[in-house]
Amino acid sequence: MPCVFSEEQEMFRETVGRLAQAEFREGYLQRATSAEYPRDALKVLAKNGLLSMAIPEEVDGQGASAVTMGIAIEELARADFNVSYVAF
């Protein structure tokens, strides 16, 4: 049975997907073959609110649901798997 996202989740998916393709797809090979931690990717993720999703709101995180975090991971991984695991 296919997953049906809410309108808000679908908008989030599209937004993260566009960001990931624009920011991470081109440098994928370099990040994948480098031994350096992708600090440039961290800055982009932080600027766009994608680093504190799993942290509860009570401690200044976003308190995102597992589905929302899964959407972000999937969209980031489409552009660069290495960035997708850095985000969480």
Side-chain angles (χ1 to χ4, degrees):
M1 178 177 219
C3 180
V4 178
F5 297 129
S6 70
E7 185 176 328
E8 183 178 300
Q9 289 169 326
E10 187 60 35
M11 287 180 1
F12 178 72
R13 185 191 67 74
E14 291 173 10
T15 300
V16 174
R18 282 192 303 272
L19 171 76
Q21 293 300 316
E23 294 288 337
F24 304 124
R25 185 174 179 148
E26 188 173 314
Y28 165 73
L29 187 57
Q30 181 183 1
R31 282 187 297 277
T33 57
S34 174
E36 290 185 37
Y37 192 77
R39 294 189 196 291
D40 60 329
L42 275 179
K43 290 177 185 177
V44 172
L45 294 170
K47 179 180 173 184
N48 289 280
L50 295 172
L51 287 184
S52 61
M53 293 180 70
I55 300 171
E57 290 180 89
E58 303 85 63
V59 288
D60 296 326
Q62 294 184 37
S65 72
V67 172
T68 300
M69 288 186 287
I71 291 168
I73 291 168
E74 183 176 350
E75 291 303 319
L76 290 168
R78 286 179 200 265
D80 185 339
F81 173 77
N82 299 299
V83 171
S84 71
Y85 75 81
V86 168
F88 301 90

